[in-house]
DNA sequence: CTAGGGTTAG
């Protein structure tokens, strides 16, 4: 408070030139002046709207002073708002200087300063302006409160927000104002008080689609799509934004089918769409992982004028989607066709190459990016490091890791350490990986230990696995995957006593294995298979096809990997379990019913087991088919008997 | 003046 006042009093305030008339000094008929003034104000505001650099605004300001207009609150308010729009930090000297030249700021100018602090400054600065304003005896208007609530919302100070809320009720009527009410709801929601937001909403005398949208988004973000949908159904006037909020809500809550249904209803309602809508739809298609949807949404994007070529947001999302749908070529075509590329486009493409096992392309693209203006961020490094680790490029990875902070100013996060532990671990350097996990400068989270545990599975090291698992059981006591993994590692080392003690632990915690399933895309749509299921209508044909395939593979030297079964049962039973793995059923189904010669795309919800991996390798050779399996980690491309992951996963 | 938004580690 003190500081600000002092700063204000020492700021040089230019004297107005006496040759220019003051706005309140009529020496021609008053109405005439009013008229001229309105035209002039309008002109300046049009000019300000077109300003897109700080320098432009400064020039306009100089003319405003030069023409003796620095007392026009309306013009100065617009000027301050333009500065805020341009991202000028508040309250730095320049906006303050502009502000202080006005001897008697009107409430709207004060509010513009408060709003500026809310967006480009801090809550405390905003409050200083409010307090100063009240001290000077200026009464608040509704805009004052919407600016203050915005400040509390971005400062996440719900207590102050609540106090001001109480004041507005006392002062009278401001909460009833639509804008104030909406900003107040937004403030409570930003601070995480959904109930309070809902209460304001319920008590508002007047609401508009903005009020509804705010709440719908809040419910969606809290994972409660039912409440969001209930509200949405009650809303009579639905605009593009609120439809988009629903589509995006479903997509963000892993309900891609519902997202697409909602999008179809939106189109049926004749509402337009924009790039934000498309982002939600694209994300839903990426989750479905099916080329059919991927191509469909790409066409819609192009027809709507928000295609990848023009729109960098849509383009980046499409890159990600196509690589998640297994079509790396389509992803790269999108990337190449983009007029503008930013760090999202590059990172998505690098990540796409990495999960498809194309490490050289990922690293090549990274270097290509460095020749442009685009700077890598932490996500970019996750991509290149992952590429290195999946390809066993230890030295490359180490070098990149070493440069990220030094040259690119990206501080390694736990995620980057996860990549490094993964890199060392996959390469068989389990002791080094363990040491890194234990000595890294930030706290290791589940990901780091999970990477180590995964490496212990590849390199069959139950002892280090035990260390990693003990950390994991503490950090993520309910993550079933960790118990299953440790149990698998013990099983393949033949340590059945340890297997049963892990089992016991799982039972005690009441954890149950996730049912494994796979789905495969054919021209008729998706077909889903659960492990061990026999109820499929075509089961007998599938079983027969699988047996034929097995015989052909065994002729060529394939032997079932019974170690992949972590049940201590007889070999025959192990064999039966192996042959009922869901991806094998899906493969047999695709061989029977997919177009002959087409690429077979299988997706599954958990990690592919070693036996299935070897089986797919063999199958790709004897059938001559390109088989892509997406597990929960990455993509495996099986062709001519080998997988491009190099048995590294 | 107020509402919808992007890549991400095991």
């Amino acid at each position: 408070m003190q500081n600000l006042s002092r700063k204000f009093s020492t700021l040089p305030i230019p004297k107005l030139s006496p040759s220019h008339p003051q706005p309140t000094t009529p020496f021609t008929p008053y109405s005439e002046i009013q008229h001229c003034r309105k035209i002039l104000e309008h002109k300046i505001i049009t000019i300000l709207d077109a300003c897109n650099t700080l320098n432009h605004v400064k020039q306009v300001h100089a003319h405003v002073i030069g023409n003796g207009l620095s007392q026009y609150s309306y013009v100065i308010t617009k000027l301050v708002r333009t500065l805020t729009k341009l991202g000028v930090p508040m309250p730095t000297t320049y906006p303050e200087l502009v502000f202080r030249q006005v001897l008697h700021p009107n409430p709207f100018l004060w509010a513009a300063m408060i709003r500026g602090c809310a967006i480009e400054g801090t809550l405390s600065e905003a409050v200083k302006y409010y307090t100063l304003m009240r001290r000077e005896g200026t009464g608040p208007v509704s805009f004052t409160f919407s600016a203050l609530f915005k400040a509390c919302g971005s400062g996440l100070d719900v207590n102050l927000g609540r106090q001001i809320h109480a004041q507005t009720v006392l002062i009278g009527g401001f909460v009833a104002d639509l804008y104030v009410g909406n900003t107040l709801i937004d403030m409570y929601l930003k601070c995480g008080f959904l109930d309070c937001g809902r209460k304001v909403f319920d008590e508002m005398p007047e609401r508009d689609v903005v009020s509804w949208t705010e709440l719908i988004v809040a419910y969606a973000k809290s994972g409660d799509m039912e409440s969001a949908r209930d509200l949405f159904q009650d809303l009579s006037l639905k605009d593009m934004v609120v439809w988009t909020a629903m589509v995006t809500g479903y997509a963000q809550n892993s309900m891609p089918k519902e997202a697409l249904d909602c999008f179809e209803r939106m189109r049926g309602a004749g509402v337009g769409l924009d790039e934000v809508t498309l982002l939600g739809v694209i994300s839903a298609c990426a989750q479905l992982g099916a080329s059919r949807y991927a191509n469909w949404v790409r066409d819609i994007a192009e027809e709507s004028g928000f295609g990848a070529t023009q729109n960098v947001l849509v383009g980046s999302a499409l890159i990600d989607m196509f690589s998640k749908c297994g079509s790396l070529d389509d992803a790269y075509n999108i990337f190449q066709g983009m007029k503008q590329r930013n760090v999202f486009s590059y990172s998505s493409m690098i990540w796409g190459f990495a999960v498809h096992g194309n490490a050289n392309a990922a690293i090549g693209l990274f270097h290509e990016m460095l020749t442009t203006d685009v700077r890598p961020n932490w996500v970019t490094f996750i991509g290149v490091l992952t590429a290195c680790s999946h390809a066993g490029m230890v030295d490359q990875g180490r070098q990149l890791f070493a440069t990220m902070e030094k040259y690119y100013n990206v501080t390694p996060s736990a995620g980057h350490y996860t990549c490094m532990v993964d890199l060392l671990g996959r390469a068989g350097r389990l002791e080094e990986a363990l040491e890194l996990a234990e000595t890294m400068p930030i706290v290791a989270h589940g990901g780091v230990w999970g990477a180590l545990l995964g490496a212990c599975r590849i390199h069959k090291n139950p002892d280090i696995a035990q260390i990693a698992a003990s950390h994991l059981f503490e950090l993520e006591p309910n993550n079933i995957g960790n118990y299953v993994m440790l149990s698998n590692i013990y099983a393949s080392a033949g340590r059945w006593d340890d297997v049963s003690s892990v089992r016991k632990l799982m039972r005690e915690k009441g954890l149950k294995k996730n049912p494994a399933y796979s789905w495969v895309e054919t021209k008729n749509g998706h077909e889903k298979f659960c492990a061990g299921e026999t109820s499929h209508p075509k089961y007998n044909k599938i079983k027969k096809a699988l047996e034929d395939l097995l015989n052909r593979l065994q002729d060529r030297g394939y032997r079932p990997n019974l170690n992949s079964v972590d049940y201590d049962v007889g070999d025959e039973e192990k064999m039966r379990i192996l042959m009922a793995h869901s991806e094998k059923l899906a493969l047999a189904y695709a061989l029977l019913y997919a177009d002959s010669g087409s690429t077979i795309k299988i997706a599954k919800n958990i990690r592919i087991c070693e036996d299935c991996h070897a089986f797919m390798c063999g199958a790709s050779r004897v059938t001559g088919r390109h088989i892509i399996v997406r597990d929960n980690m990455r993509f495996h491309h099986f062709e001519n008997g080998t997988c491009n992951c190099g048995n590294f996963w």
Side-chain angles (χ1 to χ4, degrees), chain A residues 275 291 298 394 620:
Chain A
E275 78 263 36
S291 314
R298 175 192 35 206
V394 178
S620 72

Side-chain angles (χ1 to χ4, degrees), chain A residues 145-209:
Chain A
F145 290 110
S146 64
L148 277 171
F149 289 137
K150 196 179 186 75
C152 294
S154 18
L156 299 180
D157 190 336
V158 74
N159 288 327
L160 185 61
R162 217 174 248 150
Q163 280 175 37
I164 300 172
H165 181 181
Q167 268 189 46
T168 59
V169 175
L170 286 177
I171 296 173
F174 284 114
V175 183
D177 182 279
L178 186 56
Y179 290 124
V180 175
N182 283 345
T183 338
L184 181 56
I185 294 178
D186 191 53
M187 188 271 296
Y188 281 125
L189 298 179
K190 275 209 181 84
C191 296
F193 291 81
L194 213 163
D195 294 350
C196 298
R198 177 71 194 234
K199 194 157 178 288
V200 176
F201 176 84
D202 288 336
E203 290 169 358
M204 272 164 87
E206 187 198 353
R207 303 172 202 135
D208 66 359
V209 65

Side-chain angles (χ1 to χ4, degrees), chain A residues 165-276:
Chain A
H165 181 181
Q167 268 189 46
T168 59
V169 175
L170 286 177
I171 296 173
F174 284 114
V175 183
D177 182 279
L178 186 56
Y179 290 124
V180 175
N182 283 345
T183 338
L184 181 56
I185 294 178
D186 191 53
M187 188 271 296
Y188 281 125
L189 298 179
K190 275 209 181 84
C191 296
F193 291 81
L194 213 163
D195 294 350
C196 298
R198 177 71 194 234
K199 194 157 178 288
V200 176
F201 176 84
D202 288 336
E203 290 169 358
M204 272 164 87
E206 187 198 353
R207 303 172 202 135
D208 66 359
V209 65
V210 175
S211 339
W212 291 79
T213 310
E214 284 176 334
L215 269 180
I216 287 172
V217 169
Y219 281 118
K221 290 218 162 114
S222 75
D224 182 0
M225 280 313 287
E226 276 195 17
S227 304
R229 199 196 47 215
D230 288 348
L231 271 177
F232 184 71
Q233 279 171 351
D234 288 344
L235 176 62
S236 49
L237 248 169
K238 301 179 172 81
D239 69 358
M240 181 177 76
V241 174
V242 72
W243 274 106
T244 301
M246 282 304 287
V247 173
T248 308
Y250 282 123
Q252 288 173 340
N253 283 294
S254 315
M255 300 161 83
K257 279 275 185 203
E258 288 82 351
L260 295 191
D261 285 349
C262 185
F263 176 60
E264 287 294 16
R265 272 180 282 126
M266 174 180 179
R267 295 214 299 168
V271 182
L273 56 88
D274 70 359
E275 78 263 36
V276 183

Side-chain angles (χ1 to χ4, degrees), chain A residues 521-532:
Chain A
E521 203 184 333
T522 67
K523 49 188 178 293
N524 306 323
H526 284 265
E527 200 73 27
K528 186 176 162 184
F529 294 91
C530 293

Side-chain angles (χ1 to χ4, degrees), chain A residues 135-147:
Chain A
R135 188 183 289 173
E136 293 200 357
T138 307
V141 290
S142 60
F143 188 22
T144 318
F145 290 110
S146 64

Side-chain angles (χ1 to χ4, degrees), chain A residues 305-351:
Chain A
F306 296 99
T309 320
Q310 311 91 294
N311 192 298
V312 68
L313 269 100
V314 171
S316 306
L318 286 175
I319 292 171
D320 175 62
M321 177 192 73
F322 274 117
S323 62
K324 283 186 175 141
C325 293
S327 319
L328 195 55
D329 291 344
D330 286 318
Y332 193 55
N333 283 337
I334 296 277
F335 178 80
Q336 283 188 310
M338 288 169 72
K339 263 194 217 140
Q340 269 185 7
R341 300 181 194 118
N342 63 12
V343 67
F344 288 92
S345 337
Y346 277 99
S347 303
S348 298
M349 195 64 239
I350 289 172
W351 177 248

